[in-house]
Each structure stands twice: as structure tokens, then as C-alpha cells.
Amino acid sequence: MELNKYGYNDHFAGRFAELELPSHLIPARVTAVFKHVLRVVSADGEGLARPKTSSFRDVDRMERPAIGDFVALESHPGDTSLIHAVLERTSLFVRDDPDPNAGQQVVAANFDYCFLVSSANDDFNINRIERYLTVAWNSGAMPVIVLTKADLTDQLEAYRSELEAAGFGVPFFAVDSISGNGLAELRELIQPGQTIVLLGSSGVGKSSLVNALAGEERMRTGGIREDDARGRHTTTHRELHLLPNGVIVIDTPGMRGLGVGTASDGLDETFSDIDEIGEHCRFADCTHEDEPGCAVQQALENGTLSRKHYINWQKLKREIAFNERKQNSQLQRQEKQKWKTISKMSKQNSKQNSKHKHRA
């Protein structure tokens, strides 16, 4: 199997060589993540693998293998292979773990585009899209907004206006996966060997979009229920698909709640229009709330800046600030615990040395 079809290129080959690994290890890519095992693809074909315990014993969970990662594999065809190392990532999508005590988790790695998928039905939510944009910009990849089920709405122009205001230059495509409308333009954006990750809530049509881009059924889908306009099928795990046209797609489970973590760079990109307006404020350190001469407040009053957009910016900014404070507190506790452990070991060593001297 040719791994370059799965996005392995000169860049990753260089990263693999830099690790100076034993000769029996080969490059592979993680194509699916399950509860206790991963699926990988390599020159030996497709198979199951797990992280080698000794290689990842003291590694932070963010550095463990995730969907889309290129890894160093000890291949055992017909059995469970072992992952020895994860290659340096070119892009990374991170979210807050639903477990409040678990910190952050990696959703996907090594992709060129983030397709932020929303549907033109009751699921449409501009605040959620701005959240996705914030995290997508922070990932290091190019965000693209895809509005599915476009043939089912008469509000398309209104949605387009909201998305253009929120996206601020982000490519936007309105498509219908059944009729094929809008798909040709979307296909022109991506090239063979490139990887896209699909992000969006359950039922927005991500699986149908994968099938439409592939030109065949790759993902099981369900019809649209009349009572709530949602599909019956939802993805339950992260999976990478190689499409017939050579494009690689990472499908992810729907995420209705998406924490933005500490994505301050992504916030600046998503709300760059507010930053540009803020350059005209009287004071350089203006918070854009109640200071005199605030250009942002003036834009809100004259209607050139959406109040909904501004309120969401405030909300996400507070959330990021809170997460940064929380992370700093966690790091301080970890550092304190580390020095406690070192001090304890030092005292134990001193006692042992004292005993040896006394015996001597």
C-alpha cells in the first residue's frame, strides 16, 4: 500500500528520518480511533495498533496518537502492531474534554482544511459557527464554511449575510449532497493528497457530504425526520477516509458543545473585524466596553458592527481568559507537586546516606 496516497509526503518523511529510529520501524498513519485500539495504514496494509506502553508511559495525553497522526510503527501483520512515536504535527484540532477534570483532547491532526459544516435547517446557529471558526483558526489549517441541505431553505441569502459577517473572508459554500448543487465548486478547492477534517453538530449532513464528495456511499446515512429535520445516523467515532479522487477526509462525531480552550490566536482571526475597528479607539488599551471614544461602541450604535457578533466575541474572550487562568493554576500545581516529589526523594536519599555513614 502506498502511504503517500494517505498524505505522507517529503515533509513527514523528513520528520521520520530525524527521529533516527531503529530500522524495523516504518511510517504509518492513524485512520481510526476506538476505545482501546487504533486502526493504522502502512506499507504493510491496514491493521490494528496500540501505543507501546514504555514509549508513552510518561507522555501527556495530548501527545498520544490521534486520528490523522503519522507514527513510527512496529508492524505485526495479522496481529496488533505497536506505535513507538508520533511525528511532529503540522496542524492540530483540540477541544475541551467533555469530562471537566480531563483537560483538553485532540480531535484530529495533520489536515489542510477544516470544513465547518452546518445545515440550512433549524440547526443553523451563527454563535456555534463562530466557536468552530475560533478553534479552526487556532489549529493551523484553513477553515472553510459549508452549509448543507441548501435546497431545503428559503433563508439562504440571510444565512449567507450572517456567515460573511462572521467568517470575514473565510470561503463559504452552500451545497446539497442529494442534488449535487454546489459540490463542483467545493471539489475544485481541494487536491489529491490533501486532508480535510469535517466538524459540526450531529445531523448536519457530514456523512452525506463525504458520500457526495466520494461519488459513492462511504458512510451510512439516514433520511431527514419531518418533526425535527435531523438525520437518523450519526458518526460515533473518528475515522479517516481515502476518497476515489485522492482527497482524504476525517469525519468526527458531532459536537454540540465545543469549548474553545485557550485558542486566543483563533479568537483574533475570527473577530479580526473588531480588532480593525478598535484601531480607531481613543485609547490604545480600550476594552471596547464603556470607554469614551470607543470606535467599537460607535460601530455598534450606527449598525456597522453586529451586536450579536460583538456579544459572542465578549463571551468567547471571557471563556478563553478563564481557561488560561485555569491552565496556569494546573501548571502551578503540577510544578509544586514535582518539587515536592524531588524534595521527598532528596530527604530519603539523605537518610539512606546517613545510615550508611553511621554503619561505616
Side-chain angles (χ1 to χ4, degrees):
M1 184 173 292
E2 299 177 33
L3 193 58
N4 62 344
K5 292 182 178 180
Y6 284 83
Y8 191 72
N9 52 31
D10 290 343
H11 170 83
F12 290 111
R15 299 290 81 79
F16 188 86
E18 287 174 1
L19 294 177
E20 298 182 346
L21 298 164
S23 59
H24 69 282
L25 300 183
I26 62 174
R29 192 171 198 186
V30 178
T31 60
V33 176
F34 306 102
K35 190 172 183 179
H36 300 293
V37 72
L38 303 95
R39 190 170 68 227
V40 298
V41 61
S42 70
D44 288 342
E46 197 171 55
L48 298 179
R50 62 175 178 81
K52 186 179 180 182
T53 303
S54 60
S55 298
F56 292 92
R57 181 178 290 113
D58 299 319
V59 172
D60 183 85
R61 67 179 302 208
M62 296 282 289
E63 298 175 18
R64 296 179 68 84
I67 186 78
D69 268 330
F70 288 99
V71 299
L73 188 73
E74 179 184 327
S75 181
H76 297 289
D79 199 353
T80 303
S81 299
L82 295 176
I83 295 172
H84 285 243
V86 175
L87 274 62
E88 181 181 346
R89 294 151 170 163
T90 57
S91 58
L92 188 66
F93 188 91
V94 177
R95 65 170 294 195
D96 291 337
D97 195 293
D99 180 350
N101 300 315
Q104 292 187 311
Q105 65 175 189
V106 177
V107 177
N110 300 319
F111 45 89
D112 302 285
Y113 294 98
C114 282
F115 278 18
L116 313 180
V117 186
S118 184
S119 63
N121 59 17
D122 293 339
D123 178 81
F124 184 86
N125 184 314
I126 195 66
N127 292 347
R128 188 186 308 131
I129 291 171
E130 286 180 332
R131 276 183 170 271
Y132 280 119
L133 277 169
T134 299
V135 182
W137 276 122
N138 207 60
S139 73
M142 179 67 190
V144 176
I145 299 173
V146 181
L147 190 65
T148 62
K149 308 173 187 177
D151 290 7
L152 301 180
T153 182
D154 56 2
Q155 300 293 316
L156 189 57
E157 288 308 310
Y159 291 156
R160 186 187 299 274
S161 297
E162 286 194 75
L163 290 170
E164 287 176 350
F168 202 65
V170 174
F172 162 68
F173 297 87
V175 305
D176 182 75
S177 300
I178 306 302
S179 67
N181 290 338
L183 288 172
E185 294 84 353
L186 186 58
R187 289 191 185 101
E188 289 178 3
L189 178 72
I190 45 182
Q191 302 298 320
Q194 291 183 324
T195 301
I196 63 176
V197 59
L198 301 181
L199 303 167
S201 302
S202 298
V204 298
K206 298 195 300 296
S207 296
S208 296
L209 180 61
V210 172
N211 292 339
L213 290 173
E216 61 186 38
E217 185 166 355
R218 288 297 183 93
M219 302 291 292
R220 187 170 59 86
T221 63
I224 301 298
R225 294 189 298 249
E226 294 183 0
D227 58 343
D228 61 3
R230 297 194 180 283
R232 296 185 181 90
H233 170 70
T234 56
T235 301
T236 57
H237 62 274
R238 304 178 189 111
E239 190 162 2
L240 181 149
H241 305 269
L242 175 61
L243 305 188
N245 60 5
V247 173
I248 304 150
V249 175
I250 298 175
D251 193 17
T252 63
M255 294 178 288
R256 182 158 295 278
L258 178 67
V260 294
T262 56
S264 55
D265 290 343
L267 186 78
D268 293 340
E269 289 285 355
T270 303
F271 297 92
S272 58
D273 54 339
I274 294 179
D275 285 341
E276 289 186 8
I277 295 171
E279 291 177 0
H280 302 285
C281 291
R282 182 184 300 177
F283 303 110
D285 60 349
C286 184
T287 63
H288 313 316
E289 293 183 357
D290 52 11
E291 294 92 340
C294 175
V296 172
Q297 289 297 324
Q298 292 174 5
L300 289 170
E301 290 174 9
N302 63 32
T304 56
L305 177 64
S306 163
R307 187 163 294 276
K308 184 188 293 185
H309 185 60
Y310 169 79
I311 291 172
N312 208 31
W313 168 72
Q314 285 186 311
K315 181 179 178 181
L316 292 176
K317 186 171 68 167
R318 287 194 297 268
E319 183 177 330
I320 288 173
F322 170 77
N323 287 331
E324 287 176 341
R325 290 194 301 271
K326 184 171 69 173
Q327 187 179 67
N328 286 336
S329 297
Q330 290 173 342
L331 291 175
Q332 288 171 6
R333 285 196 299 270
Q334 291 171 2
E335 188 71 11
K336 188 176 180 180
Q337 184 60 45
K338 182 182 80 174
W339 286 108
K340 276 185 177 180
T341 303
I342 292 173
S343 177
K344 185 177 179 180
M345 292 177 64
S346 178
K347 288 179 181 178
Q348 288 175 345
N349 290 334
S350 295
K351 286 180 181 180
Q352 289 175 354
N353 291 334
S354 178
K355 288 180 180 179
H356 288 313
K357 287 180 180 178
H358 181 71
R359 288 173 183 172

